[in-house]
Amino acid sequence: MRICRSFCLLSMVTVTVFACGRLIHAEVTIVTPNELDGVEGNTKTANFGSAFRGQLLVSAADFANLPKSYRTIMGMAVRPDESNTFTDPVTGRARFVLSTTTRDSLDPTFANNLGADATEVFNDVLTWQTDDIGPGPGPRDFDFVVPFTTPFVYDPSQGNLVFDATFPNGFNHVGNWPVDEHRRNTGNITAILGGAHSPNAFMSVDLVWPTQFTVVPEPSTIALLLTTLLPIGIYWRRRKRTYPRLP
């Protein structure tokens, strides 16, 4: 009986530790919109030489195929357009904010599109460089990376995702290093563009950037698994106590 009990407890510990390890390292990527994963967009952004602020609306439906525990966005990346020939690094200050929104179409006033959970995920000097790898007709690899300094917990059941980007001075190069983008005709405004310090946009369009998000399980999921180890540890500690034998 003791051997059987010990074997069961050891199995529980092994499974729990293995599951925790898998979750801690279970990083996945998702491309939004899903239909542009492996497909080149139909247009491109010219360049980022000028200061500007922009917002993009990402559909919650694009996250529908992720397991429910995957809620923490750790980073994101966009890709150069297939026409790009520029591979030198460009540098500029950038600020990125992610937020949940109940809107299906963006308002021209930036603040109206951000929810209570709006989180600054990056605010620093950003260097973008591409190796321009990919098939001739595109798409290229997602190597314009935004490494988040603060993760964002996103629950698609609460609404769509807003990606807010501000480049207060633009990048240090003005030239042809276009970013892949895609214009649609859904009737909704999914992208707005304005001055870096303006509260309102001067351009509103139905447009998306193919974007790759890096997502991991939310910390509470890992914590829940780890708590299962606590009673097992207590049990083993009690078992190791020695008691005087009765005569």
Side-chain angles (χ1 to χ4, degrees):
M1 178 65 72
R2 287 185 177 178
I3 294 176
C4 181
R5 188 179 303 158
S6 297
F7 178 78
C8 290
L9 287 171
L10 181 60
S11 299
M12 289 175 61
V13 171
T14 302
V15 170
T16 303
V17 171
F18 178 76
C20 287
R22 289 280 299 236
L23 281 175
I24 291 171
H25 298 286
E27 177 182 287
V28 300
T29 57
I30 181 173
V31 174
T32 64
N34 297 159
E35 63 268 22
L36 292 181
D37 186 1
V39 178
E40 180 76 9
N42 58 16
T43 186
K44 59 189 177 184
T45 298
N47 61 66
F48 293 89
S50 302
F52 74 92
R53 180 182 181 183
Q55 286 182 343
L56 293 172
L57 185 68
V58 180
S59 173
D62 288 326
F63 291 81
N65 292 329
L66 285 178
K68 290 185 178 180
S69 61
Y70 280 73
R71 293 288 181 262
T72 304
I73 301 176
M74 302 296 293
M76 59 176 289
V78 295
R79 63 194 185 196
D81 187 74
E82 57 86 19
S83 64
N84 177 66
T85 59
F86 187 80
T87 57
D88 291 342
V90 293
T91 302
R93 184 133 199 126
R95 178 177 185 263
F96 297 91
V97 173
L98 292 187
S99 174
T100 307
T101 183
T102 56
R103 292 182 174 274
D104 293 319
S105 187
L106 294 176
D107 188 87
T109 299
F110 290 111
N112 291 345
N113 301 316
L114 299 177
D117 64 347
T119 301
E120 182 181 87
V121 296
F122 183 88
N123 188 356
D124 206 340
V125 174
L126 180 67
T127 298
W128 271 357
Q129 184 174 18
T130 177
D131 294 324
D132 206 30
I133 296 174
R140 299 291 186 260
D141 288 353
F142 286 94
D143 54 6
F144 289 154
V145 178
V146 180
F148 289 5
T149 54
T150 302
F152 179 72
V153 178
Y154 173 57
D155 182 355
S157 68
Q158 300 302 305
N160 295 317
L161 180 68
V162 171
F163 165 49
D164 186 311
T166 302
F167 296 86
N169 303 302
F171 279 109
N172 64 347
H173 172 82
V174 180
N176 185 28
W177 57 285
V179 170
D180 186 30
E181 63 183 29
H182 190 77
R183 288 183 181 268
R184 303 184 297 185
N185 188 26
T186 65
N188 292 329
I189 300 300
T190 56
I192 59 175
L193 181 68
H197 306 289
S198 173
N200 301 313
F202 57 71
M203 184 176 74
S204 301
V205 292
D206 186 4
L207 176 148
V208 293
W209 279 3
T211 305
Q212 183 183 74
F213 290 97
T214 301
V215 190
V216 300
E218 58 182 328
S220 60
T221 303
I222 299 173
L224 181 62
L225 278 174
L226 288 175
T227 57
T228 64
L229 291 174
L230 181 60
I232 296 174
I234 293 173
Y235 173 80
W236 278 104
R237 182 177 177 82
R238 287 178 176 175
R239 282 205 53 180
K240 291 178 67 176
R241 291 178 182 173
T242 57
Y243 297 93
R245 292 174 177 268
L246 295 175

